[in-house]
Amino acid sequence: PAAAAALARLPPRWRDSAPVLARRILEAEPEGEGPHPATDAAALALLRRWPLDPASRTLQWDLVRERLLAGRWSAAMTLLEAIPTDQLPPPLAARQGFWIGFVQQQLGEQAAARATWEALLRRHPGGYYGWRAAVRLGQGDLQLDAGPHTPAGRSDWRPLASGDGTLDRLWRLDQRTEAWETWRHRRGRRLPEGGRELLLEGRLRQGVGDDWTAFGLLEQASLKLDGNQCALERELERSLHPLRFEAAFRAAATQAGLPMELLLGVAKQESRFTPAVRSPVGATGLMQLMPATAAELAGGPVPATVLEEPAANASLGGRYLAQMLRQWDGDPLLAVASYNAGPGAVAGWVKPQLRSDPELWVEAIPYPETRLYVKKVLGNVWSYQQGSEPGC
């Protein structure tokens, strides 16, 4: 309430902006599953006026998600189509494309749904929505056997293609620290701007071993690209799914009887492949294991220094993931949700919708963090297993 009152006191030109109006629309959204014509009309006006503003895109998804969960298909479709797909960055375009196909299917438009999902797979074959479109089309699913699904010794090296001859030459000569220092010196104190610069700085930081910062930059870059930057999108997809600590993950996966890509997908989301990172509550290492969980898996206390070792952490994390999969009869959605929220919480979320419409089940997860976590992790796994890149 205090925030809403503060917004009302802003100068008129600030009140008449996408972020403020989006917040006020959400504040006015009535509770319940009935029609909300006034909210929908106000939202549509905002989306058409500021289609490129991040606040518009956030408002669009918040309202669409509520209407999907309420089964209000026509209202959801109207909001989904308010921003043209080619005006959205790749992750949001993939999400929009999947749900347009889903609503078409619910409305009995089977051929249109198939065409929408096939177009999505041609343009955005990786990630969570690429996986769900492939499943809906009967064109594939996650491989949960031990594999291998990724060839051993895969090389992640690629030309930097920065457009700067000095940077590209240093990168080609494997002088990555020098390339990073040259870029930093030329940039001075200016922060990277736009998808191209964010991608370049992310790759340079990866080159000097700073995955923690690099993945943050690459995620920002993914939200700055538009539908006309396919070459950059291809580079971004490769950079977002590198093969790190291959020997440790491959050994842990073999030991646990899991696909290596599942461990990679979890570790990327948990720690951004940073072995020594610790959360405020004490979760440690690549797979962010709590000391108590690690001790239970290992049969005794595990020192924090051991949990920072990639091989030990991956091994214990693999065992825990295998436990979760056995507990949930091999269901990856329940297993990954349990890794984040705990199996006790997840047990209260199981319902028939998990089988009929698993995508809606994910959107109904009451913990926003777990909802995002499940989509991120399993999208990572799908991208690693497919090795797919965006089509142009």
Side-chain angles (χ1 to χ4, degrees), residues 19-75:
V20 174
L21 292 175
R23 171 62 186 267
R24 293 178 67 182
I25 289 169
L26 286 176
E27 292 280 350
E29 170 90 333
E31 295 184 6
E33 298 182 357
H36 306 315
T39 302
D40 290 357
L44 287 171
L46 185 147
L47 298 178
R48 289 164 181 160
R49 184 178 176 188
W50 289 291
L52 303 183
D53 194 290
S56 300
R57 296 163 175 176
T58 301
L59 173 70
Q60 180 192 37
W61 174 241
D62 287 342
L63 296 181
V64 165
R65 177 176 166 271
E66 291 299 326
R67 282 137 188 77
L68 290 169
L69 291 175
R72 296 179 53 222
W73 312 124
S74 296

Side-chain angles (χ1 to χ4, degrees), residues 30 41 62 91 150 155 166 209-210 228 280 313 346 387:
D62 287 342
T150 301
S155 172
T166 301
D210 183 11
N228 299 315
N313 197 287
V346 173

Side-chain angles (χ1 to χ4, degrees), residues 86-106:
D86 61 5
Q87 293 186 13
L88 292 172
L92 306 190
R95 181 178 68 188
Q96 180 172 344
F98 174 81
W99 286 111
I100 286 175
F102 184 91
V103 172
Q104 288 170 332
Q105 186 180 67
Q106 299 303 312

Side-chain angles (χ1 to χ4, degrees), residues 39-374:
T39 302
D40 290 357
L44 287 171
L46 185 147
L47 298 178
R48 289 164 181 160
R49 184 178 176 188
W50 289 291
L52 303 183
D53 194 290
S56 300
R57 296 163 175 176
T58 301
L59 173 70
Q60 180 192 37
W61 174 241
D62 287 342
L63 296 181
V64 165
R65 177 176 166 271
E66 291 299 326
R67 282 137 188 77
L68 290 169
L69 291 175
R72 296 179 53 222
W73 312 124
S74 296
M77 182 67 90
T78 300
L79 288 166
L80 278 167
E81 293 180 332
I83 300 178
T85 303
D86 61 5
Q87 293 186 13
L88 292 172
L92 306 190
R95 181 178 68 188
Q96 180 172 344
F98 174 81
W99 286 111
I100 286 175
F102 184 91
V103 172
Q104 288 170 332
Q105 186 180 67
Q106 299 303 312
L107 294 174
E109 302 169 7
Q110 304 297 336
R114 289 192 64 85
T116 298
W117 286 329
E118 287 168 352
L120 165 60
L121 279 179
R122 286 193 298 272
R123 188 66 183 82
H124 306 287
Y128 174 77
Y129 292 104
W131 169 44
R132 297 316 305 167
V135 171
R136 287 278 173 177
L137 290 168
Q139 294 183 9
D141 204 344
L142 296 179
Q143 302 298 309
L144 296 178
D145 59 283
H149 305 288
T150 301
R154 187 190 81 179
S155 172
D156 281 331
W157 191 91
R158 298 175 309 283
L160 191 61
S162 68
D164 182 306
T166 301
L167 285 180
D168 291 346
R169 186 159 52 253
L170 288 168
W171 186 265
R172 188 169 63 250
L173 294 172
D174 204 28
Q175 303 299 307
R176 300 186 179 195
T177 301
E178 287 75 9
W180 162 243
E181 294 291 352
T182 299
W183 161 257
R184 188 169 66 168
H185 174 72
R186 290 181 178 177
R187 193 192 64 211
R189 296 183 178 274
R190 185 177 62 82
L191 294 174
E193 298 176 355
R196 183 180 294 274
E197 283 197 356
L198 286 162
L199 172 58
L200 175 58
E201 178 150 334
R203 290 197 62 202
L204 287 166
R205 283 186 178 269
Q206 283 183 323
V208 295
D210 183 11
D211 275 333
W212 182 262
T213 307
F215 280 118
L217 292 164
L218 295 172
E219 292 284 356
Q220 291 179 52
S222 73
L223 295 173
K224 296 284 188 180
L225 301 183
D226 61 37
N228 299 315
Q229 295 173 288
C230 192
L232 292 182
E233 191 180 337
R234 286 176 180 238
E235 188 57 56
L236 182 61
E237 181 70 11
R238 288 191 290 261
S239 299
L240 281 168
H241 299 97
L243 194 53
R244 299 284 193 258
F245 303 105
E246 179 181 359
F249 282 120
R250 202 175 286 278
T254 300
Q255 182 185 52
L258 298 175
M260 179 180 68
E261 298 82 10
L262 179 57
L263 274 67
L264 288 168
V266 169
K268 176 178 178 284
Q269 186 63 18
E270 288 282 358
S271 67
R272 298 180 184 175
F273 297 125
T274 306
V277 69
R278 296 190 194 184
S279 78
V281 297
T284 302
L286 289 176
M287 307 287 283
Q288 285 293 278
L289 292 166
M290 292 295 291
T293 303
E296 182 180 344
L297 292 164
V302 182
T305 53
V306 174
L307 287 179
E308 291 177 0
E309 297 174 4
N313 197 287
S315 177
L316 292 171
R319 285 189 223 172
Y320 188 58
L321 272 172
Q323 281 186 14
M324 294 300 97
L325 276 170
R326 285 194 298 271
Q327 178 170 341
W328 298 114
D329 296 323
D331 189 309
L333 292 168
L334 293 172
V336 170
S338 296
Y339 196 97
N340 178 259
V346 173
W349 305 339
V350 177
K351 57 182 69 175
Q353 189 182 54
L354 179 62
R355 299 286 170 259
S356 59
D357 292 311
E359 302 88 359
L360 284 179
W361 180 86
V362 170
E363 295 306 329
I365 291 174
Y367 299 171
E369 177 191 331
T370 304
R371 201 159 60 228
L372 177 65
Y373 182 88
V374 168

